[in-house]
Amino acid sequence: MTGRVLVGMSIREVNAIRELEAAATGADARLAFLQIAEPTLSTVLTELADRGVTRIELLGVCFGPLAPGLSWLRRVAAHWWRERGPEAPDVVIATVLVGADVAVPGVIDTALQNVRPVRGTEAPVTSPAWEQVPPYRRHVTVCRGPRCSARGAEQTWTALADGLTQRGLKDTEVLMCAATCMFPCNQAPVVAVQPDDVWYGRIGPAEVDELIEVHLVAGTPLDSARIR
């Protein structure tokens, strides 16, 4: 018996959960997420194995370039597979799909013709490189709560991530993360910068470049958008 799982790779796929649900239904697949949302990949793998599924096909799905690499899907799947032990089902992983046409079952079937099996020799989910907190200069938190999301936080997140990447600002300089509700919802989308204890409101893509240049690069808070 075979089980199929579509795996949302990043926060962007969490935002597109309705599209992924439709894709999963069309492909007779379960839906899981690598991060942020539920059900997690490990939970779905366990449920399928407990039902007696002997082969599990994983298809990582991303709708843009900001998702983690396919190697992370392999790491997490292999970690589960090793933990499951000798009775673990066969697990195979397909190439990540990019684009909204993931909802077309034929596209999914084509992708699953090029799968790589999980062998248990994949890199673990731990590494000496991830033992310590990175030596970042600033920690930027983007609110992804319901009101901020409704008022464009996804676009703010994408513009911020793209802007940092274009300037070569890595996690060791600016550590970026998402949060649930940060409370000053009337100011959505909300962004906070630590350790400066500076909060910004109504930060859309148009304001992101200036925020990066003025605050994250030059080190001076952007007073025009500051709410704290």
Side-chain angles (χ1 to χ4, degrees), residues 176-216:
M176 178 178 165
C177 71
T180 55
C181 184
M182 292 165 62
F183 292 107
C185 306
N186 293 344
Q187 309 284 350
V190 173
V191 175
V193 180
Q194 302 297 345
D196 303 344
D197 195 23
V198 173
W199 289 51
Y200 295 109
R202 298 182 174 88
I203 295 294
E207 291 75 35
V208 165
D209 269 350
E210 187 177 10
L211 188 154
I212 294 174
E213 287 295 331
V214 173
H215 193 169
L216 303 183

Side-chain angles (χ1 to χ4, degrees), residues 122-186:
E122 291 81 2
V125 293
T126 59
S127 164
W130 305 323
E131 186 69 23
Q132 304 296 328
V133 176
Y136 60 86
R137 293 183 296 109
R138 289 186 173 85
H139 190 179
V140 179
T141 304
V142 180
C143 180
R144 300 302 300 269
R147 294 175 181 85
C148 283
S149 294
R151 297 180 69 177
E154 177 183 358
Q155 290 74 30
T156 299
W157 172 275
T158 300
L160 185 57
D162 286 343
L164 294 174
T165 300
Q166 291 166 8
R167 292 166 174 83
L169 295 174
K170 300 180 180 180
D171 288 348
T172 51
E173 298 178 74
V174 178
L175 183 62
M176 178 178 165
C177 71
T180 55
C181 184
M182 292 165 62
F183 292 107
C185 306
N186 293 344

Side-chain angles (χ1 to χ4, degrees), residues 110-131:
T110 299
L112 287 171
Q113 291 175 9
N114 300 294
V115 297
R116 292 177 57 191
V118 169
R119 303 187 184 280
T121 57
E122 291 81 2
V125 293
T126 59
S127 164
W130 305 323
E131 186 69 23

Side-chain angles (χ1 to χ4, degrees), residues 31-77:
L31 178 60
F33 293 94
L34 196 63
Q35 55 183 318
I36 299 173
E38 297 178 348
T40 66
L41 175 57
S42 296
T43 295
V44 172
L45 288 172
T46 297
E47 290 175 356
L48 291 173
D50 288 346
R51 283 172 40 199
V53 170
T54 56
R55 173 185 166 92
I56 300 176
E57 299 171 339
L58 302 181
L59 179 62
V61 180
C62 62
F63 290 144
L66 300 180
L70 180 61
S71 62
W72 273 109
L73 180 56
R74 296 191 61 79
R75 284 176 186 266
V76 173

